[in-house]
Amino acid sequence: MNATPALSLFELNALVRQTIEQTLTREYWVEAELSECRESRGHCYMELIQKDERSATPIARASAKCWASKWMIIRPYFERTTGQTLHAGLKVLLKVYAQFHEAFGFSWIVTDIDPTFTLGDMARRRQEIIRQLKQEGVFDLQKELTLPVFCQRIAVISSATAAGYGDFVKQLTENAFGLRFSVTLFPAIMQGEQVEQSIIAALDSIYQTPNQIPTPSPSRTGGGLGQTTPLQDYTNAPPARERLRVGEPCSGMGLGVGISPQQDYTNAPPVRERLRVGEPCSGMGLGVGPPFDCVVILRGGGATADLSGFDTLALAENVAQFPLPIITGIGHDRDESILDMVSHTRVKTPTAAAAFLIDHLKQVLTNLDDSQARITRFAQHRLTALHAQLTTLQEIIPRLFSVVKARQEARLHSLYSHLLGSMQRRVGTEGTKLSACEQKIPMLLRHTLTVRQNQLALLEEKTKALDPALLLHRGYSITLKDGHAVRDPKQLSKGDEIETRLEKGTIKSIIK
């Protein structure tokens, strides 16, 4: 058995404490990454970590504490300088000293935090995200989208209880021009570590919304907003950015546009009037297009320091690749977040977002009024010019008709004279021909009669030469049977009676 007396655990820990206090007597600046950061009873408890640069595997861990007396000074200064709170994943430069307690073990006690170090790391990370977005070719995708002319159907991502959302709705409702908007809220967490996931989920919900136009009430009274549709549950829906990358059609989002049955707009009011009464103008009554015209991301009324959730790669990729224009009004002037950079339009506050939409639609209304005035002036000018032309023609046509009539009458007289002369000449020519024919006909008749008489005489001579009586006179005979000449003995049979004609008589015989 060992003769050295054993120490109790408390004695051993006290020895460690004494050694640390005697050895690590000063404070140290240490670079680390926060893997956890929480507050309790005014104190801040941190878990520090260092990762291998190649494998990102943790190679060192430690606990750190900042007591309330220091934390109440360090925290406001850090948040005011960096624009965000301490949270997991943040790299920090801490001023610490070592402390070991017999009951609670070892920890580093934080006495100061250098915000400039964190700002430098944040800037580096921001630049890395921006570089990656540009390398992927998505950084300016939102800028390439066009805000619809009749931008009245608004999808809003915000906290339902945020003061900024209330200001946004109030300004749209009470706009001085009586313009109507349809606003649909998609609730999201706008502060803290869940900002990224919550906004992405809201974007997915907007993407999955059925292709139906939320129509504001046509009444002119009772404010400037249509009904607000409830948020549907799309918990298991794939992210919009993934669907865009794999090429799935974005029906209703401007990529794979669905077509609903055509509406009857025969008696619909003019477009500029529909802007005021709230009837949707997108698709111009054809029922074609996405269920929303744009998306507005609002944040207002929260801590100005809590903006780190808007500087993440995943959120930036989802916003940049979303098929609808996205307007951001997250309520800060000092810095521009990455979300602001990749969005279609960035405004400072929720009320500025509402003013932007109102001004856009008011400009459309102004353009319509100007176009109407220009069309009216053009039509009036055109009608005046045409009326002047008709008056001139009314005066010219009678004179022209007289001239044309005289010309046509002269032409007809000339044609009549020419036709009459031609007919007289033709009648004279044909009369001469008839006279000549009249003189030739008697001679032709006499000649023809002489020729025909000669032909008859020749035929008579030939007929006489073929007379059977001449053959009988020469000694020939003709044998007949039943009145027909017999040319072949085979025509006769035994007992047949035949008749033989001679020049001077007839002989009847019977065949034996």
Side-chain angles (χ1 to χ4, degrees):
M1 185 175 179
N2 194 339
T4 304
L7 299 174
S8 66
L9 179 59
F10 180 83
E11 292 173 337
L12 181 59
N13 284 353
L15 181 61
V16 172
R17 176 179 180 177
Q18 182 180 1
T19 302
I20 290 175
E21 289 178 351
Q22 293 175 354
T23 306
L24 302 175
T25 58
R26 64 187 184 88
E27 294 181 331
Y28 304 90
W29 285 101
V30 59
E31 298 177 9
E33 179 181 329
L34 295 177
S35 63
E36 183 180 343
C37 183
R38 58 186 177 84
E39 290 187 47
S40 178
R41 299 180 181 180
H43 309 298
C44 182
Y45 297 88
M46 311 173 197
E47 292 296 327
L48 308 180
I49 193 172
Q50 180 180 346
K51 298 178 181 179
D52 182 83
E53 294 182 357
R54 296 182 178 179
S55 62
T57 303
I59 58 176
R61 293 179 182 273
S63 298
K65 302 180 182 68
C66 185
W67 304 124
S69 59
K70 289 286 186 181
W71 182 241
M72 63 184 300
I73 300 173
I74 293 174
R75 174 184 173 181
Y77 176 67
F78 181 86
E79 293 179 352
R80 194 165 52 249
T81 305
T82 63
Q84 61 180 308
T85 59
L86 284 170
H87 59 271
L90 201 64
K91 287 190 175 182
V92 291
L93 180 62
L94 308 173
K95 191 176 185 180
V96 299
Y97 66 86
Q99 183 182 77
F100 188 86
H101 191 276
E102 290 84 348
F104 302 106
F106 179 84
S107 63
W108 294 102
I109 305 302
V110 179
T111 61
D112 198 4
I113 302 176
D114 185 1
T116 58
F117 174 84
T118 303
L119 282 174
D121 183 69
M122 289 168 53
R124 180 192 60 79
R125 291 174 59 186
R126 280 166 56 93
Q127 291 303 316
E128 176 62 24
I129 292 174
I130 293 172
R131 183 197 63 78
Q132 185 168 345
L133 291 172
K134 291 183 177 180
Q135 185 176 0
E136 292 175 358
V138 301
F139 188 81
D140 294 319
L141 285 183
Q142 274 283 315
K143 302 296 189 297
E144 297 175 4
L145 298 178
T146 301
L147 197 67
V149 175
F150 303 100
C151 192
Q152 293 177 272
R153 304 169 300 174
I154 316 300
V156 177
I157 298 176
S158 179
S159 171
T161 59
Y165 172 66
D167 295 339
F168 175 81
V169 172
K170 181 178 180 181
Q171 183 141 343
L172 285 183
T173 305
E174 299 176 357
N175 72 84
F177 310 106
L179 302 174
R180 300 293 298 273
F181 297 86
S182 173
V183 176
T184 303
L185 175 65
F186 292 82
I189 298 172
M190 305 305 289
Q191 296 185 84
E193 298 180 5
Q194 299 181 17
V195 169
E196 175 187 275
Q197 296 87 342
S198 183
I199 294 180
I200 291 175
L203 288 172
D204 291 335
S205 298
I206 295 172
Y207 177 86
Q208 293 285 353
T209 301
N211 188 15
Q212 296 177 353
I213 301 175
T215 306
S217 171
S219 173
R220 289 178 177 268
T221 60
L225 288 178
Q227 71 272 19
T228 300
T229 57
L231 177 63
Q232 302 184 36
D233 182 11
Y234 293 98
T235 306
N236 299 319
R241 60 186 292 265
E242 291 300 324
R243 292 195 297 273
L244 289 173
R245 281 181 170 169
V246 300
E248 180 182 341
C250 300
S251 61
M253 287 290 107
L255 299 179
V257 177
I259 299 178
S260 60
Q262 183 171 352
Q263 302 181 42
D264 183 8
Y265 278 81
T266 306
N267 300 316
V271 173
R272 64 183 304 275
E273 188 63 22
R274 296 206 296 274
L275 291 177
R276 287 198 170 99
V277 302
E279 184 176 346
C281 296
S282 299
M284 297 305 296
L286 298 179
V288 179
F292 302 107
D293 299 316
C294 72
V295 178
V296 180
I297 300 177
L298 300 176
R299 175 188 180 276
T304 58
D306 196 7
L307 298 173
S308 59
F310 300 100
D311 283 336
T312 67
L313 177 62
L315 178 57
E317 287 179 328
N318 273 270
V319 169
Q321 298 180 90
F322 203 71
L324 288 179
I326 294 180
I327 302 168
T328 57
I330 55 180
H332 64 101
D333 302 329
R334 188 179 57 80
D335 290 319
E336 184 179 33
S337 68
I338 295 178
L339 179 63
D340 291 324
M341 294 180 185
V342 301
S343 65
H344 179 276
T345 302
R346 179 238 179 172
V347 294
K348 294 180 180 180
T349 62
T351 53
F356 173 79
L357 293 172
I358 293 170
D359 290 343
H360 174 78
L361 201 57
K362 177 59 173 65
Q363 186 60 47
V364 172
L365 183 61
T366 301
N367 292 340
L368 287 174
D369 290 337
D370 292 343
S371 298
Q372 180 179 352
R374 287 196 300 270
I375 292 172
T376 301
R377 289 195 301 270
F378 175 80
Q380 291 175 345
H381 175 74
R382 185 65 176 165
L383 287 173
T384 302
L386 291 175
H387 184 268
Q389 291 179 7
L390 288 175
T391 303
T392 303
L393 289 175
Q394 186 177 4
E395 297 173 355
I396 293 176
I397 285 175
R399 295 197 299 269
L400 292 177
F401 180 75
S402 299
V403 173
V404 172
K405 180 182 178 182
R407 290 179 179 176
Q408 294 301 322
E409 288 177 347
R411 182 170 178 270
L412 288 174
H413 180 71
S414 175
L415 290 174
Y416 174 77
S417 300
H418 177 73
L419 181 61
L420 182 61
S422 298
M423 291 180 63
Q424 290 175 346
R425 289 191 296 274
R426 183 64 180 270
V427 168
T429 302
E430 295 301 324
T432 303
K433 290 181 179 179
L434 286 173
S435 298
C437 289
E438 185 178 5
Q439 296 175 2
K440 291 179 179 179
I441 284 173
M443 293 186 295
L444 290 174
L445 286 174
R446 287 193 295 271
H447 175 73
T448 300
L449 287 174
T450 302
V451 171
R452 295 301 182 188
Q453 288 175 353
N454 293 335
Q455 289 177 349
L456 287 174
L458 289 174
L459 288 174
E460 183 179 5
E461 292 296 326
K462 290 181 178 180
T463 302
K464 289 180 179 179
L466 295 175
D467 187 0
L470 293 176
L471 294 175
L472 294 176
H473 178 72
R474 295 174 182 172
Y476 293 97
S477 63
I478 299 174
T479 302
L480 302 173
K481 177 181 180 292
D482 298 328
H484 299 285
V486 177
R487 292 181 175 82
D488 188 349
K490 293 180 180 180
Q491 292 179 256
L492 302 175
S493 300
K494 184 177 180 180
D496 290 340
E497 181 178 346
I498 60 175
E499 180 181 348
T500 303
R501 288 184 181 182
L502 302 175
E503 179 184 5
K504 295 182 178 181
T506 300
I507 301 173
K508 293 184 178 181
S509 307
I510 296 175
I511 301 301
K512 292 184 178 181

